[in-house]
Amino acid sequence: MVSSRNIRLALALLVVTAVIGIVAAIFLNGSKPAPSEPVSPQTPRNVDLALRDARFTEVRNGATVWTIVAERAEYIKEGEVANLSGIRMLFVKRPGTGNITVTAERGTYSTKSRNVTLRGTVHMTTDSGIVFDTETLDYHAATSRFVTNDSVTFRQQRMTLTARGMDLDVDGQVVRFHSAVDAIVKRR
Amino acid sequence: APADGGVSRKDRSNLPITIKASQLTADNKGKKAVFTGKVVAKQGDITIFSDKLTIHYGTNKNEVEKIEADGNVRIVQENRVGSAAHAVYDSKEGKITLSGGTPRVTQGADSTTGKIITYLIDDERSTVTGDAGAPVVTIIHPRERKNNDAPR
């Protein structure tokens, strides 16, 4: 016959095992990292607002001067700068000036100064057939000028040239190349 | 003028023009491009050196109507050198017009100066006009006679 002492021993063993199991379960559960909140992908910590297909427009005297469409725009609250990627900037046709379209991989837009920086495969085309390529280009809103100190390739009608440094006056529709101008004019 | 009444004139306007310079200013309306600073422009056998060079596009988008050079202009074609303060090069007509400063064309040891010199690139001919202030002066050095070239 199984003595009552053994039964009590078995029961005690059972209880202890159960307690250990419960404690282990709690402990295991406790150490699992809390499931991370669903943060939008690639949103850096200092970005307050991230937009997709963002659109910026510069209006002067009631007329649109240019429009920027960016595949992605990230805003930082303190700064007044938006970091853009997948940029397309279009200058609207006005009397005396044709359309100008500029695309670039990334850049910034300052809501205060209205200046734009463009970086990475910067490509510009104009109505009158100018085609222009460089790696870095800055737009100065106050003077409506595009400026770079980088090497550039430029094509206009029969002329193709390379140079270092360029300054394009959007209003006056005049472009100046600063140095090392090497051009060829030939029938296409 | 050559006995056969003139040489067939080559239309060089199709040849590419290569230009090196310190700066360039081009207007977007595509009417002209102005090169400045140690400009060297070449088209075929013609080389133009100047302080400034302006390319005037024609109405037809594919055309260069004329090329103007200003400041210390020197135009070299084989052994012929033209120099002046201003020059206009018409590549279609094969004609260069020199004016301003002291227009001069030298060929070997011979030279001609005047007020305006127009020389036809393929004709080996120049037309020189002068005035009181800049008379036409031509200096020709007779070629030295070789021994068997004695007069008869």
Side-chain angles (χ1 to χ4, degrees), chain A residues 128 158 173 182-183 185 187, chain B residues 14 17 19-20 24 26 28 62:
Chain A
S128 67
R158 289 182 53 185
Q173 295 280 287
D182 199 337
V185 177
R187 188 176 286 269
Chain B
N14 277 321
I17 309 166
I19 304 148
K20 288 187 190 301
L24 162 66
N28 185 21
N62 247 322

Side-chain angles (χ1 to χ4, degrees), chain A residues 96 126 128 130 156-159 161 172-188, chain B residues 13-30 33 35 55 57 61-64:
Chain A
T126 74
S128 67
I130 283 184
Q156 177 189 37
Q157 295 196 19
R158 289 182 53 185
M159 177 165 60
L161 76 85
Q173 295 280 287
V174 170
V175 54
R176 282 180 194 81
F177 297 93
H178 302 324
S179 68
V181 174
D182 199 337
I184 184 161
V185 177
K186 69 180 176 185
R187 188 176 286 269
R188 262 191 250 139
Chain B
S13 60
N14 277 321
L15 294 177
I17 309 166
T18 61
I19 304 148
K20 288 187 190 301
S22 303
Q23 285 106 28
L24 162 66
T25 300
D27 75 32
N28 185 21
K29 300 167 189 83
F35 295 83
I55 293 192
Y57 292 115
K61 273 203 169 182
N62 247 322
E63 220 181 44
V64 169

Side-chain angles (χ1 to χ4, degrees), chain B residues 85-96:
Chain B
H86 176 72
V88 176
Y89 168 42
D90 179 336
S91 53
K92 194 182 267 297
E93 294 296 322
K95 186 169 72 172
I96 293 174

Side-chain angles (χ1 to χ4, degrees), chain B residues 114-152:
Chain B
K115 184 171 174 60
I116 293 175
I117 301 177
T118 302
Y119 73 85
L120 303 167
I121 297 169
D122 300 307
D123 287 19
E124 301 247 345
R125 206 158 39 93
S126 300
T127 309
V128 190
T129 56
D131 63 14
V136 176
V137 175
T138 297
I139 303 170
I140 294 178
H141 293 77
R143 273 179 303 132
E144 274 141 38
R145 252 182 241 145
K146 297 192 180 64
N147 295 344
N148 53 15
D149 199 7
R152 285 189 189 77

